[in-house]
Amino acid sequence: MAHWEKAVLAPTATLGEAIRNLDESALQIVLVVGDGGVLLGTITDGDVRRAILRSETLETPVTDV
């Protein structure tokens, strides 16, 4: 597995999973990838902080972040 592939999450993942992924991959970015490997978006630690300030929960889908 390529190093960057550790940062890939499905659009059905939660904010909590994204936080865990950011911590474990150490790449400082999460790649949200849909069917067929299409890049749907990215999430950084700044996006996580802004979601927390908006009172999002760890169960919030990454597509809402």
Side-chain angles (χ1 to χ4, degrees):
M1 177 183 292
H3 188 63
W4 63 269
E5 289 176 324
K6 296 175 185 175
V8 174
L9 281 182
T12 56
T14 64
L15 181 59
E17 291 171 308
I19 292 169
R20 191 172 312 109
N21 186 291
L22 281 167
D23 184 53
E24 292 174 357
S25 73
L27 292 178
Q28 300 179 341
I29 194 168
V30 171
L31 306 171
V32 181
V33 177
D35 294 336
V38 175
L39 179 66
L40 301 175
T42 60
I43 297 176
T44 64
D45 62 337
D47 298 319
V48 171
R49 281 186 255 127
R50 284 185 287 280
I52 291 169
L53 289 172
R54 290 191 313 266
S55 300
E56 301 290 349
T57 70
L58 294 180
E59 297 305 315
T60 299
V62 292
T63 53
D64 291 353
V65 176

